[in-house]
Amino acid sequence: MNIKDLQGYYMSIIGKVDKRLNDLYSSKAEEEFNNRLAENGFTRRDFLKWASFITAALMLPPVFESRVAKAAAVKERTPVIWLHLAECTGCSESFLRTREPDIATLIFDQISLTYHDTLMMASGERVEKHLNEAIQQYKGKYVCVIEGGIPTRDGGIYLRIGSDGETGLERARRITKDAKYVLAFGTCAAFGGVQAAYPNPTGAKGVRDALGIEIINVPGCPPNSVNMVGTILHILLFDKTPPTDLLYRPLWAYGSRIHDYCERRAHFDAGEFVEEWGDEGAKKGWCLYKMGCKGPLTYNNCSRYRFNQGTNWPIGAGHGCIGCSEPDFWDKMAPFEEPNEKAGIRIPGGKGVEATSDEIGSFLAGATAAAIGVHAIGSVIRAKAEKTVKKESE
Amino acid sequence: MRCYKRKYEWTVAIRLLHWITFIAIGVLTFTGFYIAWPFWFVHTPGTKEAYNMFSMANVRLVHFIAAYVFIFAIILRVYLAFASWIDADWKEFMFRWLNVREWVATLKNYLTFKPYGVKGLKTKYNPVQSLAYFAFIVFSVLQIITGLILYTMNENSIRGVAWVQKVLFPVTELFGGYADVRIVHHLIMWFFIIFVMAHVYMVIAHDVGEKNGSLSSMFTGFKYEKGDE
């Protein structure tokens, strides 16, 4: 599927979307929503601007703008259960980190966040009771968002959550069983993340690998809030998961590389590189490729939507991309401040000795040159010796 | 006085492909080193910046053009190995190096610094050559595959679009992600460097030792064999 196919795909389901929105539409809900907008100081124009931004971000055809606006006012509240497993809550932080309450925050009053470990007031056994009630009540209807990897070694005993001391593995299995959609937010939930890095003592895995279920990955460390909001909105709008790439990431967000839309890309093509931190090139904002930027290997849309409400992003702040939305980035993309050129390769049998590909190559080339030298000298000596023998025999 | 017999060894097509591949490998290796670590910077005269200069973009363009030349040269060479009317040598590539007896004879010669041809071997390649050329084809194919994965990463700017990406995704997974595909691509380049070093030396050694004109045979097509005395 490419951009044009994406547009064709959405045009083909537009009838269904309209039907769904008409069924769910209520003028009362829209009025309430408009009142809330006005209370928070947003005009109708602000709201429509936001709707067209989300339409563009989701790579929807322009005719969907009015439908996105309409979806904000549907009467049905989608229940969301948000699980925290082995992780740092950075994804929730990225999700909530706003300069001021923006329209997305208001939209999320439209979902019913039934359970969120860090945001809810209740604790202890009350929370478990509440969770079980929610699962029973919304069986087969709720969206399960998972943040964090799942330790799987020794039956998953390295992660225990809740008043019952349930392992993360059991908990994830129990709650995802009755979910309509499972979304993995963050690299840990998608691919295992930092705790799955070598030597991975807890056997941490991404949700898809650990449970073997169909999910949508929204990786990143943390992912852009646009990607998280957009994925949930896509489900609100279409009651469907977005088309994904080969690693089950939404195409609209992870369809292109950081490098392809980077603001410093022109300097890459021109051959203008930062050579060391704080040099003349760094001051001029040249390309960070030689400082270890992994943008050419990383699929994400940070270069377009940035972080913290579009304030800035790593490359804008002068540090290269570390490839956090790619599988095993902690191992594969390291060292982060050196280009892949300097990436260490573990030599098997060498007790974990690391060498770069060029070191290995130069060593082998040197060995070849030495062998050639030995053979050449040997051949010359032998030829001379044979000549002498011949002369003597004559 | 010994007389030498002229022997037609290389067809025109093989000679052409040989030199095309040689140039392509030279260009690809050099530009590849630049892409991995951009080691020069062209200032626009009078400034300290690159205005209207695109060294990285140009180097990449050259790399990709040479890569296409290399791909088609390898495809044609493999095709000729199977389908040439005059000299279909696929058996030489694929099976000659499995012959243990010939290995012993050849290694005995090389390891005792006898720089001349192995007696009793009348075939086109000895087992060392056969293995080296077989490895060359295998590594070429691997290099082409890893190169295509990296090259098509931005095709249409949408992952999963590029059919090449889709078809080769199992290979990407096998190597463990794009970072490792890049490392494999870089390591295989060192195979080509080492291959060229050893190949050139062996050709010269045989030319000097055997006086069979193996160095010029890739231009003229003719090798010389010792006739009866």
Side-chain angles (χ1 to χ4, degrees):
Chain A
M1 208 176 263
N2 70 16
I3 287 185
K4 276 178 193 146
D5 295 342
L6 221 51
Q7 306 254 312
Y9 168 74
Y10 285 116
M11 289 314 284
S12 74
I13 60 169
I14 195 166
K16 277 185 204 160
V17 173
D18 280 343
K19 193 173 172 300
R20 182 179 138 77
L21 287 177
N22 284 333
D23 289 350
L24 295 176
Y25 177 78
S26 85
S27 54
K28 201 172 146 234
E30 186 167 18
E31 205 172 302
E32 271 174 30
F33 181 73
N34 284 341
N35 286 340
R36 264 215 315 281
L37 273 180
E39 276 167 29
N40 285 283
F42 294 113
T43 62
R44 178 80 186 157
R45 183 178 158 77
D46 290 332
F47 174 62
L48 290 179
K49 269 155 73 182
W50 177 85
S52 52
F53 162 70
I54 284 293
T55 311
L58 286 171
M59 293 187 184
L60 299 173
V63 291
F64 272 81
E65 193 189 321
S66 58
R67 289 164 179 86
V68 170
K70 205 171 175 183
V74 298
K75 61 185 172 196
E76 194 180 78
R77 285 153 74 92
T78 308
V80 174
I81 293 179
W82 190 305
L83 291 183
H84 291 249
L85 302 174
E87 50 92 40
C88 69
T89 319
C91 306
S92 287
E93 279 290 323
S94 169
F95 190 76
L96 301 168
R97 184 67 62 200
T98 48
R99 200 169 48 216
E100 60 213 13
D102 72 341
I103 292 170
T105 326
L106 295 183
I107 299 295
F108 280 94
D109 292 345
Q110 298 296 110
I111 66 167
S112 150
L113 194 53
T114 316
Y115 181 92
H116 186 295
D117 283 312
T118 40
L119 294 183
M120 62 195 172
M121 298 290 273
S123 63
E125 280 171 9
R126 273 175 57 209
V127 133
E128 290 301 302
K129 207 172 134 238
H130 182 56
L131 176 64
N132 291 335
E133 276 170 18
I135 293 173
Q136 288 304 321
Q137 194 183 339
Y138 301 117
K139 207 165 199 176
K141 275 193 273 181
Y142 62 88
V143 176
C144 179
V145 173
I146 297 186
E147 208 183 319
I150 303 180
T152 56
R153 191 166 292 168
D154 305 332
I157 58 165
Y158 300 107
L159 175 69
R160 289 190 182 276
I161 296 172
S163 55
D164 302 334
E166 204 178 12
T167 66
L169 192 63
E170 277 169 27
R171 196 175 175 82
R173 200 171 277 147
R174 177 165 68 90
I175 294 166
T176 55
K177 202 175 67 197
D178 295 322
K180 193 167 190 188
Y181 302 106
V182 182
L183 311 178
F185 279 5
T187 298
C188 301
F191 308 122
V194 173
Q195 55 272 11
Y198 179 84
N200 193 0
T202 61
K205 281 179 180 170
V207 175
R208 192 185 182 91
D209 293 337
L211 305 180
I213 52 172
E214 287 294 311
I215 57 166
I216 297 293
N217 287 333
V218 185
C221 195
N224 203 319
S225 65
V226 173
N227 295 356
M228 294 189 275
V229 172
T231 307
I232 290 186
L233 260 179
H234 192 283
I235 284 169
L236 292 184
L237 190 59
F238 298 111
D239 197 19
K240 256 186 184 12
T241 54
T244 60
D245 72 0
L246 299 160
L247 290 168
Y248 314 102
R249 304 178 288 197
L251 260 186
W252 61 265
Y254 299 89
S256 58
R257 293 176 300 172
I258 302 274
H259 190 55
D260 297 328
Y261 292 94
C262 182
E263 61 207 26
R264 302 191 181 204
R265 175 60 190 261
H267 295 295
F268 174 83
D269 285 335
E272 294 178 322
F273 298 100
V274 176
E275 301 283 341
E276 58 181 296
W277 301 117
D279 70 357
E280 203 52 36
K283 285 173 196 162
K284 285 177 179 162
W286 285 359
C287 177
L288 294 159
Y289 180 65
K290 284 174 95 168
M291 301 312 292
C293 180
K294 304 299 185 294
L297 296 167
T298 308
Y299 288 90
N300 209 333
N301 57 0
C302 314
S303 36
R304 276 176 287 167
Y305 300 124
R306 303 175 159 207
F307 284 82
N308 302 336
Q309 287 196 319
T311 309
N312 207 346
W313 65 305
I315 290 174
H319 189 284
C321 166
I322 62 171
C324 69
S325 57
E326 290 293 313
D328 302 327
F329 82 95
W330 203 260
D331 292 326
K332 304 289 182 194
M333 301 293 180
F336 295 141
E337 272 92 31
E338 304 265 18
N340 282 98
E341 172 72 3
K342 302 279 188 289
I345 299 164
R346 252 179 223 106
I347 301 168
K351 284 189 181 170
V353 175
E354 289 202 352
T356 65
S357 47
D358 281 340
E359 274 171 43
I360 295 170
S362 339
F363 171 75
L364 291 175
T368 313
I372 287 173
V374 169
H375 192 267
I377 293 165
S379 304
V380 170
I381 291 170
R382 184 177 174 120
K384 263 192 186 153
E386 275 178 2
K387 239 180 210 169
T388 353
V389 171
K390 233 183 200 173
K391 261 186 192 164
E392 278 168 7
S393 66
E394 275 167 10
Chain B
M1 184 75 189
R2 263 184 186 154
C3 58
Y4 284 89
K5 266 197 305 193
R6 236 158 78 106
K7 189 188 164 209
Y8 192 53
E9 187 92 357
W10 312 111
T11 60
V12 180
I14 284 180
R15 272 179 277 155
L16 259 177
L17 284 176
H18 175 272
W19 291 113
I20 289 173
T21 317
F22 169 76
I23 293 166
I25 288 177
V27 173
L28 283 168
T29 307
F30 182 74
T31 53
F33 269 118
Y34 180 84
I35 293 168
W37 181 258
F39 47 78
W40 81 73
F41 172 44
V42 189
H43 296 288
T44 307
T47 71
K48 278 187 176 175
E49 294 183 18
Y51 163 73
N52 215 0
M53 292 259 185
F54 300 96
S55 37
M56 178 56 102
N58 291 339
V59 166
R60 288 175 76 230
L61 177 69
V62 171
H63 191 81
F64 298 145
I65 291 170
Y68 272 117
V69 170
F70 180 74
I71 290 172
F72 288 108
I74 294 296
I75 290 174
L76 278 177
R77 184 64 185 84
V78 172
Y79 170 79
L80 280 182
F82 286 95
S84 168
W85 293 351
I86 309 154
D87 187 17
D89 52 1
W90 60 277
K91 279 183 192 156
E92 300 277 330
F93 274 123
M94 292 173 72
F95 300 119
R96 177 63 52 193
W97 55 277
L98 294 172
N99 191 322
V100 180
R101 201 180 50 77
E102 288 183 3
W103 267 104
V104 175
T106 314
L107 283 184
K108 233 185 221 169
N109 256 47
Y110 284 152
L111 293 180
T112 54
F113 309 115
K114 276 189 195 164
Y116 34 79
V118 184
K119 268 178 193 139
L121 275 189
K122 286 283 169 203
T123 48
K124 195 166 153 189
Y125 304 138
N126 71 36
V128 179
Q129 278 176 299
S130 172
L131 179 62
Y133 299 155
F134 183 65
F136 181 88
I137 295 294
V138 170
F139 279 111
S140 297
V141 171
L142 267 178
Q143 190 74 331
I144 288 168
I145 288 174
T146 50
L148 280 176
I149 289 173
L150 296 171
Y151 175 61
T152 54
M153 273 184 86
N154 75 334
E155 193 174 301
N156 298 339
S157 293
I158 281 282
R159 174 97 160 285
V161 175
W163 63 271
V164 181
Q165 287 282 311
K166 219 169 238 177
V167 169
L168 296 180
F169 193 67
V171 184
T172 315
E173 295 260 275
L174 183 74
F175 288 136
Y178 290 102
D180 287 4
V181 169
R182 197 215 74 95
I183 284 174
V184 169
H185 194 70
H186 199 101
L187 276 176
I188 295 175
M189 173 205 66
W190 279 102
F191 166 82
F192 287 102
I193 293 174
I194 290 164
F195 177 89
V196 168
M197 284 168 63
H199 179 62
V200 170
Y201 171 73
M202 293 304 263
V203 167
I204 293 172
H206 274 268
D207 192 289
V208 173
E210 254 178 281
K211 301 205 169 40
N212 65 355
S214 67
L215 192 56
S216 60
S217 72
M218 210 24 95
F219 295 101
T220 60
F222 288 98
K223 263 190 186 177
Y224 295 87
E225 267 184 356
K226 280 169 195 157
D228 301 321
E229 281 182 48

